[in-house]
Amino acid sequence: KEMRGLEGDADLQFLLEGGDLLKVRSSSWKKTRYLKLEPDCKTIWHESKKTFKSKQTFSLDDISAVRQGRQSEGLRKYTEEQVENRCFSIIFKGRKKNLDLIASSEEEAKQWVTSLHKLISNMNNLSRQEKAEHWIFNCLRKADKNSDDKLSQKELKDFLRMINIDLDDEYAEILFQKCDKSKSGLLSGAEIEHFYDLLTHREEVDVIYGEYAKTAGYMSADNLVEFLMTEQRERATLADAHKLIEKYEVDEKAKEKKLLSKDGFLMYLHHPESLVLKPEHKEVYQDMSQPLNHYFISSSHNTYLLEDQLKGPSSTEAYVRALVKGCRCVELDCWDGSDGEPVIYHGHTLTSKILFKDAIKAIKDYAFKTSDYPVIISLENHCSVEQQKVMAHHMSSILGSDLVTAPLGDCMPTGFPSPEELKGKFVVKGKRLNKLEATFAPEAAAEDDTDVTEEEDSNDEEEEQEEQKRKKTKKLKLAKELSDMVIYCKSVHFHGFEDAKQNLSFYEMSSFKEGKAVKLAEESANGYIHHNMDKLSRIYPAGLRTDSSNYNPVPLWNAGCQIVALNFQTPCAEMDVNQGRFVCNGKSGYILKPSFLRDGATEFDPITLTRGPWLQHKLLHVMIISAQQLPKVNKKKSSIVDPLVKTEPIENNGFNPSWNQSFQFEVYVPELALVRFVIEDYDSTSDNEFIAQYTLPFNSLQMGYRHVPLLNKNGDPLPAAGLFIHIIVLDAE
């Protein structure tokens, strides 16, 4: 399947043959490694010698990107400019370190990059069903220890454990005997195919298909229309049904008769357009011409960190990862560095340092790979005036005309521009010496290097009164060159909603520590909502979260806060929810707030749920039917998961567990609700372990029989895994 369309392809043959490359870890550690593609066309061998004595492997599924040139932090740091064209990097998903490599020539480097890109693209174009089949056949190949293309009963048991299912010996023997037509004690050829068919048979799909296949054992176009309207709650015509049959039917004879077979029906259920997320919500479908503060904005805290807040590494790669995930607000903690070059790190800690200019280059290179909409550069500035001028120079020279350095238009603005107007632009958030109005009244402009008052928040999360006692006030000199780059996001201190309304301009915004923000969201939610109709608010984690843990962003979104900054480097439920909030609207990183969070007359309060147009009482009915090919939690062959989804656990079956359990949930504010599906491995003696999840907005759910694509703990897709459910949404009143 992986080689479909690539049979005899020169790039594929190049990878299968492999070659020597120089692996780079530091300026003094550069060693030859032999890389080649395994016959499964999915796994790369990574060897120290051609003898393959100490093999390491990684899957193409683990690769996030392949970059040509010195495009990783390691290659820029540890190699000379003259090897630029011979370098390339393999970037992995999750926390796995990059593989930085140097080829013997520019042509060879290009060949590796081109070939890997081609194979990865080919893999990504496979359907989920095809990926699942490939995964199963790879496991079969591994289980065939002596490579004789036959399976013994022991090899069959090993294979079943590989794919996360543990059958008792008696049932395994029955299954084996059923397939062993030759009575040879080994399965081969058609017998293995029969075994595969038995193993992957979807009885639950048979039942659904059988209810609507009323035309000589097939679904006619009329039958399909009935299914689509009754179960999937879709408006469908005969023409729609004919298109689906033409698209998904695998049997040419059935297709000619305009019939849908069981295999064609399963292909339809697996197609991306039929999954739980509405296909129209995968693209940018919202109005992007509203003012910037009318959107929730995907935002990162201390973006430069790869791990914890005290001693972990800082890296430009952390900016790349956040931006590629759709983050639109990144943070830079800036301090004076040696040789006149400002650096970024978590001040007064042992976290490592990176150059400010390198971070800006990484932001420039990757800002618009996932989304075209504006990136906010949030500066926490601790630098001297001299190095602030260097910061301004780097931003100006690297970001060029994409950096917003003046208000859009020829006059003083009265409100924010829209994400559409700011497409492809960088907006700086930071301190400013004077009001923006001074730009249009030069005589009122401040002199260079003027003092501004800055308060530093303590890292302790105590009662508000105690916190105020510990706050320190200091003078920070601000370079005019840097100050003038702050246009739409001027950082100011918060002194209450009334003060902000009376004394602050629209572009003056405050940052709130999570404790303060949650208190406001709980005790003054409607006031917070009205504040956020005129201003931007940024929320950040408490200083005590030295492990880079996260807070729940939902209550802050419910209060209209736009920039709810999380530690993107930390896999957790809160980041899952953040990814779910921004999975829609083309993964643009901007989600238009509901009208009741933008309407100046709103009385909406998420705590008291006062009556209004936002209150739409719904009943969500979910049947958890089955799952397919769940990953193991423990890589040991004997370790099989006992999966559950709020359901009873299914013992020793992660391959095709079946639950058929129904649940009902009440939803009161659909426009703010999110739905999270979590699969866990049941443990009777300790906490259940995470297996997979998927989160999406309530209003993006498709009704009917749907497959849910599953993500691992890092938020990356699990290619073959899925959850099969049935959804109905009804009005409660």
Side-chain angles (χ1 to χ4, degrees), residues 188-199:
S188 63
E191 293 171 332
I192 292 177
E193 286 184 28
H194 181 47
F195 167 68
Y196 171 80
D197 290 339
L198 286 176
L199 192 67

Side-chain angles (χ1 to χ4, degrees), residues 500-719:
K501 187 176 181 180
Q502 297 294 329
N503 300 317
L504 297 184
S505 299
F506 74 90
Y507 57 85
E508 294 179 301
M509 62 174 290
S510 300
S511 290
F512 302 83
K513 191 182 292 184
E514 65 171 273
K516 172 73 172 175
V518 168
K519 189 174 182 182
L520 288 171
E522 289 176 349
E523 298 176 3
S524 312
N526 189 256
Y528 215 174
I529 288 166
H530 279 273
H531 173 81
N532 290 323
M533 285 178 194
D534 303 317
K535 314 284 189 300
L536 283 167
S537 287
R538 176 179 173 271
I539 319 301
Y540 61 96
L544 283 180
R545 295 187 182 273
T546 54
D547 58 351
S548 294
S549 60
N550 280 308
Y551 56 94
N552 180 8
V554 174
L556 290 315
W557 289 327
N558 291 350
C561 298
Q562 303 90 347
I563 303 176
V564 182
L566 298 179
N567 290 305
F568 264 56
Q569 73 272 30
T570 306
C572 58
E574 293 81 10
M575 268 307 298
D576 293 343
V577 168
N578 191 77
Q579 188 172 3
R581 165 63 72 200
F582 294 100
V583 72
C584 295
N585 208 32
K587 293 186 179 177
S588 63
Y590 285 85
I591 297 292
L592 184 63
K593 295 198 284 187
S595 57
F596 55 80
L597 293 180
R598 296 180 278 124
D599 176 12
T602 189
E603 296 177 6
F604 174 67
D605 188 315
I607 305 299
T608 61
L609 280 183
T610 50
R611 287 197 169 273
W614 47 84
L615 199 62
Q616 301 170 34
H617 193 184
K618 304 281 184 182
L619 295 178
L620 170 63
H621 295 270
V622 181
M623 176 183 270
I624 305 295
I625 302 173
S626 63
Q628 298 78 44
Q629 295 171 36
L630 301 175
K632 291 189 171 198
V633 170
N634 187 319
K635 295 300 179 187
K636 287 182 183 175
K637 186 171 71 174
S638 60
S639 176
I640 312 296
V641 299
D642 305 327
L644 59 87
V645 194
K646 288 185 76 73
T647 57
E648 293 298 315
I650 301 296
E651 191 173 348
N652 287 333
N653 187 352
F655 181 73
N656 56 2
S658 179
W659 294 279
N660 293 308
Q661 282 185 247
S662 295
F663 302 91
Q664 178 177 301
F665 304 92
E666 292 189 85
V667 179
Y668 292 93
V669 187
E671 289 183 86
L672 287 175
L674 295 160
V675 180
R676 184 168 184 251
F677 298 92
V678 189
I679 305 181
E680 294 178 330
D681 180 16
Y682 174 71
D683 193 318
S684 59
T685 59
S686 62
D687 290 343
N688 297 339
E689 288 192 78
F690 175 92
I691 297 176
Q693 71 87 33
Y694 187 73
T695 307
L696 74 166
F698 177 84
N699 279 353
S700 296
L701 288 169
Q702 292 209 91
M703 285 197 269
Y705 289 103
R706 304 292 175 184
H707 281 102
V708 179
L710 296 174
L711 308 176
N712 64 17
K713 66 178 182 179
N714 294 314
D716 297 316
L718 292 163

Side-chain angles (χ1 to χ4, degrees), residues 102-350:
I102 304 177
S104 59
S105 67
E106 180 181 348
E107 291 70 28
E108 187 186 359
K110 284 181 179 175
Q111 178 79 69
W112 274 102
V113 173
T114 301
S115 302
L116 285 169
H117 277 157
K118 182 183 284 188
L119 198 58
I120 292 168
S121 174
N122 201 63
M123 276 183 55
N124 290 340
N125 288 333
L126 295 176
S127 70
R128 195 170 70 84
Q129 193 173 2
E130 288 170 327
K131 287 176 184 175
E133 288 173 1
H134 179 76
W135 178 71
I136 291 170
F137 281 118
N138 270 339
C139 291
L140 277 168
R141 187 185 289 114
K142 288 176 185 174
D144 181 16
K145 292 287 193 298
N146 58 0
S147 303
D148 62 354
D149 292 330
K150 296 177 182 178
L151 283 181
S152 67
Q153 194 163 329
K154 182 182 182 304
E155 287 174 330
L156 180 84
K157 279 281 282 184
D158 287 344
F159 163 71
L160 290 170
R161 289 195 187 99
M162 276 184 206
I163 63 171
N164 214 352
I165 184 170
D166 193 16
L167 301 182
D168 63 57
D169 290 341
E170 186 178 345
Y171 185 70
E173 186 172 352
I174 291 170
L175 191 64
F176 188 87
Q177 299 301 336
K178 201 172 185 178
C179 299
D180 185 15
K181 304 290 184 186
S182 63
K183 305 300 178 187
S184 65
L186 294 169
L187 303 186
S188 63
E191 293 171 332
I192 292 177
E193 286 184 28
H194 181 47
F195 167 68
Y196 171 80
D197 290 339
L198 286 176
L199 192 67
T200 57
H201 178 233
R202 297 277 302 273
E203 186 179 351
E204 72 277 29
V205 175
D206 285 359
V207 171
I208 300 162
Y209 181 78
E211 286 183 16
Y212 291 91
K214 301 172 182 176
T215 310
Y218 287 87
M219 267 192 190
S220 67
D222 283 320
N223 299 155
L224 183 54
V225 168
E226 184 186 359
F227 169 77
L228 293 171
M229 295 183 71
T230 305
E231 300 293 350
Q232 310 298 74
R233 305 296 173 104
E234 296 177 13
R235 293 178 181 174
T237 64
L238 274 176
D240 296 327
H242 288 148
K243 284 179 186 174
L244 291 178
I245 292 170
E246 183 63 32
K247 189 172 184 179
Y248 301 118
E249 183 49 57
V250 291
D251 184 323
E252 289 301 323
K253 289 182 179 178
K255 190 184 288 189
E256 284 174 17
K257 297 176 182 177
K258 294 186 168 39
L259 296 174
L260 189 66
S261 67
K262 194 189 302 177
D263 287 340
F265 181 65
L266 190 57
M267 288 290 285
Y268 153 76
L269 287 175
H270 275 297
H271 195 270
E273 291 182 3
S274 303
L275 301 182
V276 69
L277 176 65
K278 289 179 180 176
E280 61 269 26
H281 285 196
K282 291 181 182 177
E283 309 302 323
V284 175
Y285 73 98
Q286 295 182 326
D287 178 7
M288 302 302 282
S289 63
Q290 298 284 323
L292 195 69
N293 65 319
H294 283 189
Y295 297 83
F296 297 127
I297 304 171
S298 180
S299 305
S300 163
H301 168 251
N302 287 359
T303 315
Y304 48 90
L305 293 177
L306 285 172
E307 296 174 13
D308 65 72
Q309 308 278 318
L310 295 180
K311 59 186 185 331
S314 304
S315 172
T316 56
E317 196 59 43
Y319 287 97
V320 175
R321 292 180 186 180
L323 291 165
V324 168
K325 282 185 177 180
C327 179
R328 298 290 86 189
C329 179
V330 294
E331 185 177 17
L332 293 78
D333 283 7
C334 310
W335 299 80
D336 278 0
S338 57
D339 301 322
E341 284 291 345
V343 295
I344 294 172
Y345 82 113
H346 199 200
H348 312 299
T349 70
L350 298 177

Side-chain angles (χ1 to χ4, degrees), residues 473-515:
T473 301
K474 70 172 189 178
K475 294 286 187 181
L476 171 74
K477 284 212 168 203
L478 199 57
K480 185 175 186 299
E481 293 89 337
L482 189 62
S483 167
D484 285 352
M485 290 179 169
V486 177
I487 306 300
Y488 291 114
C489 296
K490 177 186 176 183
S491 299
V492 298
H493 294 290
F494 179 73
H495 299 292
F497 295 138
E498 193 56 38
D499 174 79
K501 187 176 181 180
Q502 297 294 329
N503 300 317
L504 297 184
S505 299
F506 74 90
Y507 57 85
E508 294 179 301
M509 62 174 290
S510 300
S511 290
F512 302 83
K513 191 182 292 184
E514 65 171 273

